[in-house]
Amino acid sequence: MGSRPRAHRLRNIILAMDAGAERRTYRGEHGGDRGVEMSSLGVVRELGEFFLWVGVVGAAIAVLCAVVVLIALARGAAGAAGGAGAVWIGGGLLSLASGFSGQWMPALAAAGAMVAALVLGGVARSAVKAFARRPRPEPVDAPAAATPATGTATPSTGTASTPIVKTPRIVGIRTVTSESIR
């Protein structure tokens, strides 16, 4: 392989590729020649750093939108999940710009965030639904529970009046009352 360092060999390869590229003269505002010649490969090298930062900003937008998708899916808000997913597409496309500088991590981070958001959002939604199905204890007012209230027993007859007593509900045990039989 020789005694030359690797960076030196790579620089020679890039210079050899650059030497064969078509050179265009840069023209100023008034059409005058400023004497600057740039090849298309040189332009790509100069814009590489700019595209890297565009990709990083796009990945940040995509990750934020993926978090919004996760929360919206967990709460069951389809509209919010769809809107955040649409904005995620724009952020994901912006994150692909970092590929022009040879950096693909922002694009992979954006894609991974959305995959994780979709999976975790579905799991969180099933957990939220299971938690919402749990029976909750009804609040009991101490003075109201001691004194029975009166009301009509059945609206169809309208004449009979029976006392209705509120009893505290025990979580996990289903109680049957006369109102639930009808």
Side-chain angles (χ1 to χ4, degrees), residues 17 20 25 51 62 77 82 87 123 139 148 177:
M17 289 172 43
T25 304
F51 282 133
V87 176
V123 170
T177 60

Side-chain angles (χ1 to χ4, degrees), residues 114-172:
M114 186 54 132
V115 169
L118 291 175
V119 170
L120 294 175
V123 170
R125 178 67 184 151
S126 63
V128 167
K129 282 175 112 177
F131 186 71
R133 281 191 294 242
R134 282 185 29 202
R136 295 183 181 147
E138 294 177 4
V140 178
D141 298 331
T147 59
T150 59
T152 58
T154 56
S156 60
T157 59
T159 58
S161 177
T162 59
I164 299 173
V165 178
K166 285 193 166 195
T167 57
R169 183 166 182 193
I170 300 172
V171 177

Side-chain angles (χ1 to χ4, degrees), residues 11-161:
R11 191 184 66 167
N12 285 342
I13 290 171
I14 290 172
L15 288 175
M17 289 172 43
D18 198 22
E22 177 186 341
R23 297 196 177 270
R24 297 186 183 136
T25 304
Y26 174 75
R27 305 256 180 223
E29 295 174 0
H30 305 290
D33 183 7
R34 291 187 178 175
V36 178
E37 291 186 3
M38 291 187 84
S39 67
S40 56
L41 190 59
V43 171
V44 170
R45 252 190 269 134
E46 291 295 321
L47 290 176
E49 184 179 355
F50 172 73
F51 282 133
L52 174 66
W53 288 108
V54 168
V56 168
V57 169
I61 291 170
V63 167
L64 287 175
C65 288
V67 169
V68 172
V69 165
L70 175 105
I71 294 169
L73 285 177
R75 297 193 67 184
V87 176
W88 177 87
I89 291 173
L93 287 174
L94 280 175
S95 71
L96 288 174
S98 65
F100 285 106
S101 64
Q103 300 293 323
W104 292 99
M105 283 307 291
L108 292 174
M114 186 54 132
V115 169
L118 291 175
V119 170
L120 294 175
V123 170
R125 178 67 184 151
S126 63
V128 167
K129 282 175 112 177
F131 186 71
R133 281 191 294 242
R134 282 185 29 202
R136 295 183 181 147
E138 294 177 4
V140 178
D141 298 331
T147 59
T150 59
T152 58
T154 56
S156 60
T157 59
T159 58
S161 177

